Amino acid sequence: MFLGTSFNSSPETISNSTALDKPISTIVLSNMILDEMYATQNVLINFDWVIPYEWNWDTMLHANFQGDTYAGNVTYSVDTVGKIRVKKRYKGDFEWKTIYEKSINNVEDFRVEFYDYYEPSNRDIEYAYVAISKIGQDMNMVSAEVHSEFDSYFICDHDVSYPIIIDTQNDVTYNRASQTIVSPGRKYPYVNHNGIAQYYSGTLTATFIKLDEICKLDIENGWKYRNQIDAFLCNGKAKILKSFEGDMWMINTTGNISRSVNGHYQNISQSFEWTECGNPNNVGDLYDNGFIDTDVDREQEVDNALFSYSTRY
Amino acid sequence: MQATIYKILPFDASYGTTIKFSWNGNQPFKNRCVIRKNDTNELVYDNTIQSYSLEHPIDLNKLIIPLENGTKYNAYITIFDKNDLESDIQSLGTIFICLKTPIFRFCNFEQIINSSSYTFTLEYSQENKELLNSWSINIYSKDHTLLSSSGVSYNTNSLNHLFSGFNNQTEYCIRALGQTINGMELDTGYINISVHYDIFNVFSMLELTNLKRSGAIYVKSNVITAKGYLDKEPATYINNEYLDLTDNSITYKEGFLFDGDYSFVVKFYGIQPNQELIRLYSDESTELIITVTYRIGRLGSDKTIGCFELRVVSNDITSIYYSNKFYPLPSSTDLIGLLIYRNKGYYSIKAVNLGGVN
């Protein structure tokens, strides 16, 4: 190094000075006719000058300059996008349902990261990331698929999810309103079905206890966790209850939360009653009960006229 | 005793219709249909057919005066039993109107849809000013199972609906149904459509993880938006393949961060010596500035050779690196590949002549 400058005039020269780890955040290219630009986290010591077309986890930028200057993996930017939405559907369904929406004000807003608790176990589920233009039109969609498979019962609301692992018993009733009327002079009674209400209710009993990262039970602090569960169950908010098999209900708890000691003061079961209060697959119900923050895909009431059309032909 | 004629929906005069009725008397053997103009009572049609059915298809060849679209008529029906005894004719006919078949079709229809969502737009018009009352657009699977519907809309100012959810490489049918204010039924029929669109490489775009012990799906996007902004607009593209920056510059400031080791590759042509080609810098631009300049000269040789100079200025300490040398010098149409990489804090630069551009 001489007067603040180190000269390393050939690739073989060993440089003794390293650049400080300040991240590069700006690129300016000029005085050329540009064909392609590419940046990767890999160190391309033996590069064959063939830039991979496919993006991978290490790709940072890739631009071909074929009519635009985009160097990301999508051809839109803050200039053109007003919102992004995450949509969901069960594989085989047609309609996507928006479960997440975000306004785009800067490039960081394109990043989406969240936990979706509102799906049953043992289903193939497709998610889509959709950019919405500033004039409200869907732009290119990116979709992916995942198979849900959960280990136990879970109960959750918008903010928190609790696993229900130990000694779980869920006694379920399918309710409907009907009435048997015995009429004089008639051998058989009349059965009236009143209204269209049909819903599940039940009583769930389980030993709520916290598991740490290595699945060890936190018995000592079990009392705190039980109190936390009591507060959660009684917060008045609708909840999603789902089983490891595939059942999923939107419920509200009713009545009291009771505890019973199973032979030891630290082995305590809690029991609560629940009643279905909505459809966990219905955007309108999810929104109205505070599970999701958008109802742009709220289901329309089915108009029977549609079906009368269909049957005419 | 009289037959009772059911409501006669509007129909196109050139196609005719079948008039249906009810009858509570003896078994009909023949029926007679009389049609008169509503305004003048002029006889238009008087025809008797042999039929046991309670309907009378209008025989267009037996018309005394051709039916006209836009005109109202009255229809009368009488029944003949096996003794050829004719029933009483109605004192008041059943009024109906002939209307030209409306134009009811998809006006932006494309057989192949190149996206997962598409807005279908209907076109409606009718010569006799018959207004549209309601419409719906439905999506069916190839076997005509209803998949999605716009629902019946009574807003006739905007005849369009966005459907999103089309799977790639899949065939669907689309069909629109409608009704005019006088009850004329409209149907586009089933129309086949195919959906083919490019799917981005999803592994890097949308990351989904099933969390067994949390009862959740972890959703993370890996969408990278990085748009380059030109110093002078509009951009000049050459053959839609190259971006001309000979008198311009492009800046990228979003969607990326070179933190730690990385490689940066640029392919270009048309460079001039002693001009800065690349400038990379951190937010605090005084702390790290990296520039690349094309140099030519003797450089200790008796021939004119070229190379690229990489200058790294980090906290006022400058390091200069040179690429491999070029001899002969690349021509103005030779495509140059330039690679800068940072490996464990040390920078390197390599360049290659990739030959003439196409």
Side-chain angles (χ1 to χ4, degrees), chain B residues 224-243:
Chain B
I224 297 169
T225 58
K227 187 182 179 186
Y229 293 91
L230 290 158
D231 183 39
K232 296 173 191 167
E233 294 281 0
T236 304
Y237 293 99
I238 299 171
N239 299 330
N240 210 35
E241 282 191 27
Y242 305 100
L243 176 63

Side-chain angles (χ1 to χ4, degrees), chain B residues 105-150:
Chain B
R105 62 190 177 198
F106 292 101
C107 61
N108 65 334
F109 179 70
E110 291 177 25
Q111 201 83 39
I112 297 175
I113 293 173
N114 300 117
S115 132
S116 61
S117 59
Y118 193 81
T119 300
F120 291 95
T121 304
L122 286 168
E123 176 188 1
Y124 173 84
S125 64
Q126 206 281 329
E127 254 182 33
N128 310 106
K129 311 294 182 195
E130 171 79 350
L131 297 175
L132 180 64
N133 182 48
S134 63
W135 59 274
S136 67
I137 303 175
N138 307 314
I139 301 288
Y140 302 84
S141 62
K142 207 177 170 188
D143 60 2
H144 295 179
T145 304
L146 182 65
L147 298 174
S148 183
S149 173
S150 64

Side-chain angles (χ1 to χ4, degrees), chain A residues 1 4-6 8-9 11 15 17-45 47 49 51 54-57 59-61 64-74 76-77 79 87 89 94-96 107 110-117 119 127 129 138 140-151 154 161 212-213 215 242 303 306-307 309 312-313, chain B residues 116-117 134 136 138 148-149 152 164-167 172 175 177 179 185 187 200-203 205-208 210-229 237 240-243 245-246 248-253 256-258 261-269 271 275-283 287-288 314-315 317-322 335 337-339 341-343 345-347 350 352:
Chain A
M1 185 179 294
T5 300
S6 66
N8 307 280
S9 61
S15 169
S17 72
T18 61
L20 286 179
D21 277 327
K22 294 294 176 188
I24 301 286
S25 58
T26 305
I27 300 168
V28 182
L29 305 174
S30 57
N31 301 312
M32 63 175 77
I33 297 171
L34 191 51
D35 178 35
E36 202 167 359
M37 180 182 78
Y38 173 68
T40 173
Q41 293 180 53
N42 290 330
V43 178
L44 303 174
I45 294 174
F47 185 49
W49 299 101
I51 295 174
E54 303 276 329
W55 277 68
N56 60 40
W57 295 107
T59 308
M60 292 192 282
L61 295 171
N64 280 307
F65 303 105
Q66 292 174 345
D68 64 55
T69 60
Y70 293 109
N73 51 18
V74 289
Y76 48 72
S77 67
D79 297 350
K87 302 184 178 191
R89 69 179 178 187
F94 182 81
E95 296 283 1
W96 289 100
V107 72
F110 284 103
R111 183 179 176 80
V112 167
E113 191 171 3
F114 67 94
Y115 295 92
D116 180 21
Y117 294 104
E119 62 282 307
Y127 288 81
Y129 179 101
D138 283 18
N140 282 338
M141 173 184 281
V142 175
S143 66
E145 184 184 324
V146 66
H147 181 77
S148 63
E149 190 178 348
F150 307 129
D151 275 351
F154 286 89
S161 173
D212 65 13
E213 292 299 315
C215 291
K242 57 190 183 182
D303 191 329
L306 165 72
F307 298 104
Y309 277 172
R312 283 182 200 151
Y313 297 93
Chain B
S116 61
S117 59
S134 63
S136 67
N138 307 314
S148 183
S149 173
V152 177
S164 56
F166 291 109
N167 287 326
Y172 297 91
R175 179 191 188 192
L177 299 165
Q179 204 168 57
E185 291 179 346
D187 185 357
F200 289 110
N201 203 353
V202 295
F203 77 93
M205 305 280 271
L206 193 59
E207 186 182 339
L208 303 173
N210 177 66
L211 300 174
K212 280 186 173 189
R213 288 175 51 197
S214 300
I217 303 295
Y218 173 64
V219 181
K220 183 185 173 193
S221 71
N222 292 298
V223 166
I224 297 169
T225 58
K227 187 182 179 186
Y229 293 91
Y237 293 99
N240 210 35
E241 282 191 27
Y242 305 100
L243 176 63
L245 297 176
T246 49
N248 206 346
S249 67
I250 187 168
T251 303
Y252 287 89
K253 287 181 81 76
F256 73 96
L257 204 64
F258 296 173
D261 291 340
Y262 65 90
S263 297
F264 182 65
V265 180
V266 185
K267 293 182 180 178
F268 52 82
Y269 69 95
I271 53 173
Q275 289 191 328
E276 185 180 293
L277 305 174
I278 299 170
R279 175 172 286 251
L280 314 175
Y281 55 91
S282 63
D283 278 339
E287 294 183 341
L288 180 61
S314 175
N315 281 333
I317 297 174
T318 303
S319 303
I320 299 175
Y321 307 78
Y322 288 98
L335 190 67
L338 185 72
L339 164 66
Y341 65 77
R342 180 188 187 278
N343 188 14
Y346 294 97
Y347 276 88
K350 291 180 181 177
V352 66

Side-chain angles (χ1 to χ4, degrees), chain A residues 26-270:
Chain A
T26 305
I27 300 168
V28 182
L29 305 174
S30 57
N31 301 312
M32 63 175 77
I33 297 171
L34 191 51
D35 178 35
E36 202 167 359
M37 180 182 78
Y38 173 68
T40 173
Q41 293 180 53
N42 290 330
V43 178
L44 303 174
I45 294 174
N46 298 309
F47 185 49
D48 61 3
W49 299 101
V50 177
I51 295 174
Y53 177 77
E54 303 276 329
W55 277 68
N56 60 40
W57 295 107
D58 296 318
T59 308
M60 292 192 282
L61 295 171
H62 188 194
N64 280 307
F65 303 105
Q66 292 174 345
D68 64 55
T69 60
Y70 293 109
N73 51 18
V74 289
T75 52
Y76 48 72
S77 67
V78 178
D79 297 350
T80 53
V81 176
K83 289 177 179 174
I84 60 97
R85 288 179 185 148
V86 175
K87 302 184 178 191
K88 184 170 89 169
R89 69 179 178 187
Y90 296 124
K91 191 174 184 185
D93 287 357
F94 182 81
E95 296 283 1
W96 289 100
K97 296 178 177 178
T98 301
I99 57 167
Y100 180 93
E101 187 178 59
K102 189 182 194 183
S103 294
I104 298 296
N105 299 308
N106 59 58
V107 72
E108 293 303 316
D109 291 334
F110 284 103
R111 183 179 176 80
V112 167
E113 191 171 3
F114 67 94
Y115 295 92
D116 180 21
Y117 294 104
Y118 316 137
E119 62 282 307
S121 189
N122 291 319
R123 292 295 295 266
D124 292 321
I125 305 165
E126 293 175 299
Y127 288 81
Y129 179 101
V130 187
I132 311 295
S133 71
K134 287 195 186 294
I135 57 170
Q137 291 184 330
D138 283 18
M139 300 170 79
N140 282 338
M141 173 184 281
V142 175
S143 66
E145 184 184 324
V146 66
H147 181 77
S148 63
E149 190 178 348
F150 307 129
D151 275 351
S152 64
Y153 275 80
F154 286 89
I155 187 166
C156 64
D157 65 12
H158 185 277
D159 304 315
V160 64
S161 173
Y162 292 101
I164 310 171
I165 302 168
I166 300 173
D167 299 332
T168 307
Q169 182 174 330
N170 192 27
D171 299 318
V172 180
T173 304
Y174 189 58
N175 304 279
R176 62 170 189 161
S178 62
Q179 192 176 16
T180 304
I181 303 165
V182 178
S183 166
R186 184 179 158 89
K187 182 179 178 185
Y188 299 103
Y190 296 101
V191 178
N192 278 349
H193 303 289
N194 300 318
I196 60 168
Q198 292 185 19
Y199 59 95
Y200 286 96
S201 64
T203 303
L204 192 142
T205 305
T207 302
F208 286 91
I209 193 156
K210 198 171 186 177
L211 289 174
D212 65 13
E213 292 299 315
I214 54 169
C215 291
K216 189 182 167 193
L217 302 176
D218 185 7
I219 294 170
E220 294 303 316
N221 291 308
W223 66 275
K224 286 184 192 169
Y225 194 64
R226 285 190 288 276
N227 291 348
Q228 199 177 320
I229 293 292
D230 285 342
F232 169 73
L233 293 173
C234 296
N235 66 10
K237 295 179 184 173
K239 294 165 179 57
I240 299 289
L241 174 65
K242 57 190 183 182
S243 75
F244 52 88
E245 287 180 302
D247 277 323
M248 181 167 73
W249 304 281
M250 182 184 293
I251 64 158
N252 229 320
T253 56
T254 58
N256 303 319
I257 315 298
S258 61
R259 296 186 188 184
S260 57
V261 179
N262 302 316
H264 188 273
Y265 75 98
Q266 286 178 317
N267 183 0
I268 294 176
S269 296
Q270 284 164 287

Side-chain angles (χ1 to χ4, degrees), chain A residues 158 237-238 250 252 277-279 284-292:
Chain A
H158 185 277
K237 295 179 184 173
M250 182 184 293
N252 229 320
C277 64
N279 180 353
D285 286 355
L286 287 168
Y287 179 80
D288 293 343
N289 286 289
F291 290 102
I292 58 176

